[in-house]
Amino acid sequence: MQILKIFDKIFKQNEIPLKIRTYDIIITSLNSGLIEYIPNTISIDALKKKIGNKIDFNTFFRIFFADNFEEAQKNFCESLAAYSLVTYIHNIKDRHNGNILLDMNGKIIHIDFGFILGLSPGGMNFESAPFKLTKDYIDILDGENSNMFHYYKTLIIRGFLALKQNFDSIIQIVEIMSKVSNIPCFYRKDGYSIIKEMRKRFLIEKNESEIEKIVDDMINTSNGNWRTYQYDRFQKLTNDIEQ
C-alpha cells in the first residue's frame, strides 16, 4: 500500500489521470492489523451473481450508469489503466473477480495483495499475462478500435514513463521490505533476484518509442489471454467466483 501511494503521488505530480484507490492499514501485531473499509463498492464476483445470466457485465454497466455513462466509462478506463500498471510492475497474481471491486462512479479497485512480486497461489504461476484485460473490460471501452481503448493505451504509456523516471524511490521500498522479511514472496525466494526482476520491468534502458512498442505488445498479450480466462474458470469451479 505504501508503494501504491507512491504510484498515486507520481501520477498526480505528472498530471496523469490514472485513478488508484489507496486506503489505510494499521498494523496491530506481527500477524494482524486493521484495513480501511472501502464504501460504495461491490466485487465484480458479487455483482455478476446479482445480475445472473440476464445481462452481461457490459450491458449492466451501460444501464446502471445511463445518466452519466461517459463519465463512468472514463473513470473505468483511467482506473483500469492504473491497475494494469500496478499489476505489471508488482507482478501481482490471484486477480480473480472476488479481488476486483466496482465503485459507484464506474472505477475498478483492486484489493487483496497476498500474492505479489511473482508469488502465485499454489506456486503454479498460471497467470502469465502482464495484467488482466478481459473481453468484459474491452466491451465497456467500446472495443479495441475505439477512441476509449486508444485512450487506455495512451494512459498506460504516459504512466509507465512517469514511473520509469521515479523507479529508484519504488525499488528502495521493496529493498527495505526484503530485509529479514516474513513476507512469503521474500522467504520463499531470494530477495535480490526479486528486486532484480522488478527493476527489469521498469525497462530502464529503453527509450520512449521502444516502450510504446513494448506496452502495445503487453496489451495485445493481455487482451483476452487464454491463461487469464482459464484461471478465472478455475476459480469458478473451485470457489464459485464468477468469471
Side-chain angles (χ1 to χ4, degrees):
M1 189 51 60
Q2 292 178 55
I3 300 175
L4 289 187
K5 288 181 178 180
I6 291 176
F7 273 44
D8 190 47
K9 182 180 179 181
I10 291 169
F11 296 150
K12 287 174 178 173
Q13 286 175 339
N14 287 273
E15 299 182 346
I16 306 171
L18 288 162
K19 294 181 167 61
I20 295 176
R21 174 59 161 89
T22 61
Y23 46 88
D24 290 328
I25 300 172
I26 300 173
I27 299 169
T28 56
S29 77
L30 285 174
N31 58 3
S32 64
L34 300 172
I35 300 178
E36 179 186 354
Y37 174 70
I38 305 177
N40 301 315
T41 62
I42 186 172
S43 71
I44 294 178
D45 165 56
L47 175 60
K48 287 193 170 190
K49 283 183 168 71
K50 283 181 178 291
I51 62 178
N53 296 321
K54 302 171 189 175
I55 53 175
D56 60 24
F57 183 49
N58 173 46
T59 303
F60 165 83
F61 193 95
R62 292 169 188 274
I63 293 172
F64 186 83
F65 294 109
D67 294 336
N68 59 338
F69 173 72
E70 290 183 1
E71 179 185 354
Q73 185 189 47
K74 188 168 180 285
N75 286 337
F76 183 87
C77 180
E78 292 169 350
S79 57
L80 177 62
Y83 283 105
S84 295
L85 283 168
V86 167
T87 302
Y88 165 71
I89 294 293
H90 291 82
N91 201 6
I92 300 173
K93 308 299 182 183
D94 202 31
R95 296 299 87 198
H96 56 68
N97 283 330
N99 287 339
I100 303 175
L101 312 180
L102 181 71
D103 77 2
M104 293 294 289
N105 297 310
K107 297 189 295 293
I108 63 166
I109 301 167
H110 282 234
I111 60 170
D112 192 351
F113 304 108
F115 295 94
I116 61 171
L117 299 173
L119 185 67
S120 301
M124 295 174 62
N125 196 25
F126 199 81
E127 299 162 275
S128 60
F131 40 81
K132 187 166 189 173
L133 183 60
T134 65
K135 182 180 183 299
D136 280 340
Y137 297 169
I138 294 172
D139 287 345
I140 290 174
L141 300 180
D142 295 329
E144 299 173 44
N145 299 315
S146 68
N147 291 334
M148 191 57 66
F149 194 75
H150 178 72
Y151 180 52
Y152 166 73
K153 286 186 179 182
T154 301
L155 286 173
I156 292 182
I157 293 168
R158 290 179 63 196
F160 194 102
L161 292 171
L163 293 173
K164 179 174 176 280
Q165 291 175 350
N166 296 272
F167 80 96
D168 274 336
S169 61
I170 299 167
I171 292 290
Q172 283 172 2
I173 288 187
V174 180
E175 288 176 335
I176 293 169
M177 285 168 53
S178 69
K179 304 300 181 184
V180 196
S181 175
N182 64 350
I183 299 174
C185 60
F186 290 119
Y187 71 72
R188 293 183 187 178
K189 194 174 180 181
D190 173 51
Y192 174 78
S193 64
I194 287 175
I195 292 165
K196 185 178 178 180
E197 289 167 7
M198 186 177 190
R199 188 183 295 270
K200 282 182 181 178
R201 290 194 289 275
F202 283 98
L203 307 176
I204 307 302
E205 306 302 323
K206 304 295 183 181
N207 61 37
E208 185 170 337
S209 61
E210 289 173 321
I211 286 175
E212 288 179 6
K213 175 65 169 62
I214 292 169
V215 167
D216 199 51
D217 289 342
M218 287 195 296
I219 290 172
N220 290 334
T221 300
S222 300
N223 182 353
N225 185 273
W226 181 84
R227 291 174 73 91
T228 300
Y229 174 83
Q230 292 301 328
Y231 185 73
D232 279 344
R233 180 172 170 78
F234 171 78
Q235 288 293 339
K236 172 62 178 174
L237 294 172
T238 58
N239 296 312
D240 194 32
I241 296 172
E242 293 294 330
Q243 287 183 260

